[in-house]
Amino acid sequence: MAQSASLNISSEPQTQTQGGIAHSIEVIFDMPSCVKRSEPNPRGIPSAPFVTDIPQFLQTRKVEAVIEAINDLYGKYKFMERSLVARRDNLEKKIPDIKNTLSALQHLIDKAESAEPHDVDFMLHDNVYTQATIQKTKTVGLWLGANVMVEYTYTESKDLLERNLENAKTTLAAVKEDLAYLREQSTIAEVSIARFFNFDVKQRRLSKQQEGTETTEKKE
Amino acid sequence: MMTKGDEAESEVNWEDQKQICRFSQLNNQYHDLGDRIEFLQKLIQQENDSLLPIDDFELLGEEGESVRCLVGEIFSHVTVDEAKERVNRKLREDTAQLHEYTSKRDEVQREMASLKGTLYAKFKNTINLEED
């Protein structure tokens, strides 16, 4: 069924793209001889089709349907981009947080080595600070969230934090890679829309000129 | 969008498209690095500004009196030397990072300039690679 549907469509392009953008995009751009694509993305973001030979491509398709399909895809990219940007910003905030915690922990470790108790001021409430003396300690409480704090030794907590930092950095790198890929695909989609549009304008102008020369032949 | 004069415009091929994408990617990187550089410059300025008051304190304060240094969310009581050492260490790290970003941005800028040359040569006024 799907096979025969795709065969039909190549001779009569679908104008409605409802019911699966990915599907209609696949069907419309199913012409390997004149469609090029970027390398696939490791996390499965669909690539944008780049049509190398527009006149040949449009022999079996309607330009409106093609532009609409790319437009839909473009909208999808923009949507994905927004959610990825939010994730990226989140991670960009999280990483300095972890670094800060690590530096506080390192400070504690350094102080523990000197064997003397040391004084700190800590916040009781906004704008209210009080003093505390930290005796030589071996453990530290890490706030894990959900009202849970777990006591770790210095080495354990350092390991945990360093692992968290590493994970956050890896995820951030992946998100950035996806964003770059997504922007590349958006650019391809933008350029494609412009190319099809310009091609269409040119075609219309040509056919108008032809009509014009036929009717005004005598004047010229 | 298209005027009569542009009719001889060159058709965009796959290689051109890849170059346009590369340019757009570089442009994003350029702005991203710019933001980071600006942030670091402010931070370094702040760190430099905090060194002077520490010196003043060393001269004017009582011998052996401690200063408070922000560590995470708490203020730790540290000696003047330790405070200086902390600020200087941070300053060294941030300056190194700033240099890394600046040279990266120069690199990006160079590649952008060369791509601009290639793309403008082919597409002339039918392509716009300038900032809005």
Side-chain angles (χ1 to χ4, degrees), chain A residues 188-205:
Chain A
I188 296 179
E190 276 170 20
V191 171
S192 292
I193 293 170
R195 288 170 64 224
F196 276 105
F197 188 80
N198 285 349
F199 179 81
D200 191 35
V201 170
K202 221 188 233 170
Q203 286 303 104
R204 280 168 205 266
R205 193 185 291 149

Side-chain angles (χ1 to χ4, degrees), chain B residues 45-74:
Chain B
Q45 182 66 43
Q46 277 173 13
E47 284 156 9
N48 271 323
D49 286 350
S50 70
L51 276 176
L52 203 63
I54 298 180
D55 282 338
D56 287 350
F57 183 85
E58 193 177 15
L59 289 173
L60 301 169
E62 267 177 50
E63 182 75 24
E65 204 176 340
S66 56
V67 289
R68 275 99 175 121
C69 222
L70 187 65
V71 182
E73 282 171 23
I74 57 158

Side-chain angles (χ1 to χ4, degrees), chain B residues 80-96:
Chain B
V80 171
D81 287 342
E82 210 183 323
K84 271 197 216 166
E85 161 62 22
R86 286 186 71 87
V87 176
N88 277 321
R89 199 192 320 145
K90 189 81 177 24
L91 206 51
R92 276 197 301 276
E93 283 170 14
D94 290 341
T95 315

Side-chain angles (χ1 to χ4, degrees), chain A residues 12 16 25 40 46 56 58 69 106 174 186 191 199 202-203 213:
Chain A
E12 211 180 71
Q16 287 169 331
I25 269 275
Q56 195 199 337
L58 284 179
Q106 190 56 52
S186 303
V191 171
F199 179 81
K202 221 188 233 170
Q203 286 303 104
T213 43

Side-chain angles (χ1 to χ4, degrees), chain A residues 36-37 50 92 104 107 111 118-121 129 131 176 183-184 187-188 191 195 205 209, chain B residues 2 4 7 11-14 17 20-21 24-25 28 36 68 71 74-78 82 86:
Chain A
K36 280 204 161 37
R37 286 170 186 273
F50 180 87
E92 298 258 29
H107 186 71
K111 286 289 166 190
H118 92 281
D119 294 334
V120 294
D121 293 340
Y129 285 80
Q131 198 170 323
K176 279 188 171 170
R183 292 204 167 124
E184 189 177 314
T187 312
I188 296 179
V191 171
R195 288 170 64 224
R205 193 185 291 149
Q209 266 173 4
Chain B
M2 206 171 65
K4 290 230 167 182
E7 282 199 41
E11 185 48 34
V12 186
N13 64 35
W14 182 230
Q17 176 66 76
I20 295 171
C21 287
S24 142
Q25 197 187 5
N28 280 327
R36 281 165 200 273
R68 275 99 175 121
V71 182
I74 57 158
F75 291 97
S76 183
H77 297 211
V78 296
E82 210 183 323
R86 286 186 71 87

Side-chain angles (χ1 to χ4, degrees), chain A residues 12-42:
Chain A
E12 211 180 71
Q14 233 182 6
T15 40
Q16 287 169 331
T17 46
Q18 251 89 38
I21 291 163
H23 180 69
S24 73
I25 269 275
E26 259 168 50
V27 170
I28 290 186
F29 291 95
D30 185 19
M31 192 172 179
S33 61
C34 59
V35 172
K36 280 204 161 37
R37 286 170 186 273
S38 313
E39 297 286 311
N41 168 273

Side-chain angles (χ1 to χ4, degrees), chain A residues 103-122:
Chain A
S103 86
L105 179 67
Q106 190 56 52
H107 186 71
L108 272 180
I109 295 173
D110 292 347
K111 286 289 166 190
E113 274 167 8
S114 77
E116 271 173 41
H118 92 281
D119 294 334
V120 294
D121 293 340
F122 69 94

